[in-house]
Amino acid sequence: SFHRQVVVEPPAGWVVSARSDDGWVEAIEATEGFGVGIQFHPEWLELEQPRFAAVFRDFVAAAREHGAGRGVAREA
């Protein structure tokens, strides 16, 4: 982790979805809907490890899906 504070126990409705090699929580996800909490900087890592770009792609896709039914303009 790049941080000095970490999630020890996720709140109700959230689950741990990623841990660092030393066992610290690096990501949590909501059990319902779309909610993600991350304890790292994918924007620092995606150039060396392109898989981290998925964090941004998934966020944008979820935002578009959520906004689609609310009259929010969508990119074509």
Side-chain angles (χ1 to χ4, degrees):
S1 178
F2 294 123
H3 301 282
R4 64 177 199 264
Q5 297 175 330
V6 296
V7 171
V8 174
E9 186 68 31
W14 293 76
V15 294
V16 174
S17 56
R19 291 186 181 270
S20 62
D21 290 340
D22 57 2
W24 293 109
V25 173
E26 289 288 347
I28 60 175
E29 294 181 54
T31 56
E32 294 185 29
F34 181 83
V36 177
I38 55 175
Q39 290 267 144
F40 62 96
H41 289 276
E43 73 277 12
W44 294 354
L45 300 169
E46 71 171 316
L47 294 177
E48 292 180 22
Q49 299 180 42
R51 66 185 176 181
F52 287 110
V55 173
F56 301 107
R57 284 193 307 270
D58 291 350
F59 177 78
V60 169
R64 284 186 178 139
E65 184 177 314
H66 179 74
R70 300 178 185 268
V72 176
R74 291 178 53 172
E75 186 176 312

